[in-house]
């Protein structure tokens, strides 16, 4: 529904190898709802997605990761794919940015393999979460209570299983951003 997120700003953090639909569907849905959405990356220019079994379309990078600030946005969205979160979870700037959004009580949303980033940021202990099935054990071993559900929300942290759940994922991000900041217990 247009106008739900008027005046809100959302940051999508990604690099080469993001799952194409996991960046594009939430980006487009959030924009349709009235949010300004920027894509940040350690890369500049553009990043290339992975579309099922081969490289997908490039997406322009709006902001270098080094210039992305939590204070400029209302939420952060983390697309999955296998390559993208694996590259980002070893990037100290990316992890620090995710931690900053969490610490500020802002919506943090991760789909598919992107919960790896939440694990690396130390944000999963005791939290209800879901993820792509192949990283279920990683999520559980990090201390989360994994659920087999399309979308799980735990106090402003939104996780989703896979590309088939992107409409539900996007709708939940909109709902959480509209709620505003979340008071968080220690993870």
């Amino acid at each position: 529904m247009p106008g739900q997120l008027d005046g809100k700003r959302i940051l999508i953090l990604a690099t080469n190898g993001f799952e194409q639909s996991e960046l594009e569907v939430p980006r487009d849905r959030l924009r349709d709802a009235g949010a300004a959405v920027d894509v940040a990356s350690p890369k500049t220019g553009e990043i290339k997605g992975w579309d099922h079994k081969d490289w997908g379309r490039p997406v322009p990078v709006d902001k270098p990761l080094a210039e992305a600030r939590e204070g400029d946005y209302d939420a952060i969205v983390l697309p999955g794919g296998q390559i993208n979160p694996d590259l980002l979870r070893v990037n100290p700037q990316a992890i620090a940015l995710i931690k900053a959004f969490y610490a500020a009580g802002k919506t943090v949303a991760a789909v598919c393999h992107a919960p790896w980033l939440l694990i690396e940021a130390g944000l999963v202990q005791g939290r209800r979460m879901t993820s792509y099935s192949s990283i279920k054990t990683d999520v559980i071993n990090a201390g989360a209570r994994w659920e087999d559900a399309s979308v799980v929300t735990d106090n402003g942290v939104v996780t989703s299983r896979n590309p088939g759940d992107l409409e539900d994922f996007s709708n939940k991000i909109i709902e959480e951003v509209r709620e505003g900041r979340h008071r968080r217990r220690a993870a």
Side-chain angles (χ1 to χ4, degrees), residues 31-174:
R31 285 179 177 165
D32 288 347
V37 181
D38 289 335
V39 174
S41 179
K43 307 282 183 189
T44 57
E46 61 185 27
I47 52 177
K48 199 163 201 181
W50 188 260
D51 199 1
H52 302 288
K53 297 180 188 232
D54 204 352
W55 289 103
R57 297 171 298 284
V59 169
V61 172
D62 303 302
K63 186 172 286 285
L65 173 58
E67 295 175 16
R69 304 283 178 265
E70 163 273 319
D72 296 336
Y73 297 94
D74 298 287
I76 189 167
V77 177
L78 307 168
Q82 292 175 327
I83 300 167
N84 170 62
D86 198 38
L87 293 173
L88 289 175
R89 70 182 172 163
V90 296
N91 183 310
Q93 283 184 311
I95 299 306
L97 184 62
I98 295 164
K99 286 179 177 181
F101 274 87
Y102 180 85
K106 296 180 179 179
T107 300
V108 176
V111 62
C112 190
H113 287 75
W116 271 340
L117 295 166
L118 304 181
I119 292 169
E120 194 63 36
L123 305 179
V124 304
Q125 181 67 41
R127 185 167 308 289
R128 293 174 44 248
M129 295 179 65
T130 194
S131 66
Y132 193 70
S133 61
S134 69
I135 68 164
K136 171 185 175 181
T137 302
D138 297 341
V139 173
I140 292 169
N141 286 343
R145 295 185 323 260
W146 191 88
E147 297 179 16
D148 186 13
S150 63
V151 178
V152 174
T153 303
D154 187 328
N155 202 18
V157 176
V158 181
T159 53
S160 186
R161 286 186 300 217
N162 59 52
D165 302 318
L166 290 173
E167 281 300 317
D168 292 340
F169 179 63
S170 300
N171 289 336
K172 190 48 109 169
I173 295 168
I174 291 168

